[in-house]
């Protein structure tokens, strides 16, 4: 049996696991992401999951973006002390092992493809819908990362070239319609009145499930934007399967039912209409599983 070391780096949590070639986790651990000196915390976490265990043969890292895979550097939005940080080389130096880096949403897609809802799909789009919207593509079992590692940024595909300006500088990005904060923002602008301090996507999902018409409309609007993006991606690269995770996917039926309807309305060509959408089955573990898969592909 060969083992790899999987690492998932986010703005709030660092996670690592020693994983075998079939995806079984031998050991795992987490740490809160410190404000400063993240490398020291990561070093301690790596020691915790590797000491006295079998030696891993490679390291796979999923990290919050933006990143530059050509350079092996990361600049996570929520980690201000890492700007152009040479994460891949630092981890390679620390472990002495071949080290592969990808975006966290790309690792989500790879994890769901390997062990989750997208298992054995020939062409998969993974989408993480939470504060923002990220994504990753897995084509013929391999991640499609792009020259600088930014392939799969589906949250910033425009579904309305005359639409609202997005924080990224673009216009009409799907994130402006379907991310958690934007779902809640639209609902509030249109008369949703949640309890004080409860104006988030989770409360909006509960309101939609209870039949609140504005909350239902907010999810239908968000689902229509996602459907446009999914149909466009399918037309471009012939994806057969979509797996959606992230906090907003926890809304369940109030998101996935309108999404099915909107896809039926938006999609035309037979191969686009054939795309199947699933909710994530690995949840918060998907990105770590994907990081392990990334390492096994390169071990
Ligand atoms: Zn954008």
């Amino acid at each position: 049996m060969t083992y790899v070391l999987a690492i998932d780096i986010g703005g709030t949590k660092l996670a690592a696991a020693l994983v075998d070639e079939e995806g079984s986790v031998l050991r795992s651990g987490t740490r809160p992401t410190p404000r400063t000196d993240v490398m020291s915390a990561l070093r301690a976490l790596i020691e915790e999951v590797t000491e006295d265990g079998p030696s891993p043969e490679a390291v796979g890292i999923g990290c919050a973006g933006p990143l530059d895979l050509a350079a092996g550097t990361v600049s996570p939005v929520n980690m201000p002390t890492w700007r152009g940080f040479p994460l891949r080389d630092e981890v390679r130096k620390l472990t002495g092992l071949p080290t592969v880096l990808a975006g966290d949403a790309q690792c989500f897609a790879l994890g769901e493809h390997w062990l989750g809802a997208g298992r054995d799909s020939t062409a998969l789009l993974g989408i993480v819908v939470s504060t923002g919207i990220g994504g990753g593509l897995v084509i013929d079992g391999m991640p499609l990362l792009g020259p600088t590692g930014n392939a799969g940024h589906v949250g910033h595909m425009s579904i309305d070239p005359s639409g609202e300006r997005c924080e990224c500088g673009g216009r009409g990005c799907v994130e402006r319609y379907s991310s958690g904060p934007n779902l809640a923002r639209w609902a509030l602008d249109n008369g949703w009145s949640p309890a004080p301090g409860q104006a988030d996507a989770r409360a909006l999902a509960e309101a939609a499930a209870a039949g609140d018409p504005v909350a239902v409309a907010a999810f239908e609007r968000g689902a229509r934007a996602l459907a446009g993006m999914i149909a466009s991606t399918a037309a471009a690269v012939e994806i057969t399967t979509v797996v959606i995770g992230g906090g907003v996917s926890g809304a369940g039926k109030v998101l996935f039912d309108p999404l099915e309807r909107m896809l039926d309305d938006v999609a035309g060509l037979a191969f686009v209409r054939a795309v199947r959408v699933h909710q994530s089955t690995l949840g918060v573990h998907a990105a770590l599983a994907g990081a392990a898969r990334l390492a096994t592909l390169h071990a």
Side-chain angles (χ1 to χ4, degrees):
M1 195 65 86
T2 60
Y3 291 87
V4 294
L5 175 62
I7 298 172
D8 179 27
I9 296 176
T12 57
K13 195 185 73 176
L14 311 175
L18 199 58
V19 180
D20 73 21
E21 66 219 37
E22 284 162 3
S24 298
V25 175
L26 187 67
R27 289 183 185 182
S28 63
T30 62
R31 290 268 194 295
T33 305
R35 295 294 298 165
T36 57
D37 202 5
V38 182
M39 260 330 273
S40 290
L42 187 58
R43 188 180 303 118
L45 178 61
I46 289 172
E47 278 167 14
E48 179 191 318
V49 299
T50 56
E51 80 178 343
D52 305 327
S55 299
E57 299 196 355
V59 186
I61 311 172
C63 186
L67 36 75
D68 181 345
L69 289 194
T73 58
V74 302
S75 309
V77 174
N78 295 325
M79 296 166 64
T81 60
W82 278 10
R83 285 294 170 268
F85 182 77
L87 179 62
R88 187 177 57 205
D89 287 350
E90 288 291 321
V91 172
R92 186 183 286 151
K93 239 188 298 176
L94 185 66
T95 60
L97 296 168
T99 301
V100 199
L101 174 67
D104 51 2
Q106 292 167 331
C107 285
F108 165 83
L110 203 47
E112 289 288 346
H113 179 271
W114 191 28
L115 301 170
R119 205 181 286 215
D120 300 329
S121 155
T122 48
L124 174 139
L125 168 65
I127 309 171
V128 181
V129 186
S130 61
T131 311
I133 296 181
L137 291 155
V138 183
I139 309 294
D140 294 330
M142 296 297 285
L144 182 75
L145 301 177
T148 64
N150 285 294
H153 257 85
V154 292
H156 298 283
M157 282 171 66
S158 180
I159 48 96
D160 181 359
S162 309
E164 291 177 36
R165 187 65 73 191
C166 175
E167 279 173 40
C168 76
R171 194 182 281 287
C173 296
V174 66
E175 187 169 294
R176 284 294 292 180
Y177 300 80
S178 315
S179 72
N182 281 302
L183 289 170
R185 178 181 61 93
W186 185 89
L188 289 169
D189 288 349
N190 285 274
W192 177 46
S193 49
Q198 300 268 302
D200 61 8
R202 182 188 294 257
L204 186 69
E206 284 169 12
D212 180 306
V214 178
V216 169
F219 275 97
E220 291 194 334
R221 182 174 178 271
R224 180 170 284 280
L226 285 172
M229 174 267 274
I230 289 167
S232 298
T233 306
V237 291
E238 203 178 345
I239 49 167
T240 58
T241 310
V242 175
V243 179
I244 304 181
V248 175
S249 73
K253 282 171 69 68
V254 298
L255 174 67
F256 285 86
D257 284 357
L259 182 54
E260 285 289 336
R261 284 204 315 279
M262 300 303 173
L263 255 179
D264 187 53
D265 182 47
V266 170
L269 295 169
F271 74 93
V272 177
R273 297 185 64 78
V275 170
R276 288 292 155 259
V277 178
H278 305 284
Q279 191 168 354
S280 159
T281 53
L282 300 182
V284 296
H285 305 294
L288 199 58
R293 181 62 180 157
L294 193 66
T296 63
L297 289 172
H298 293 84

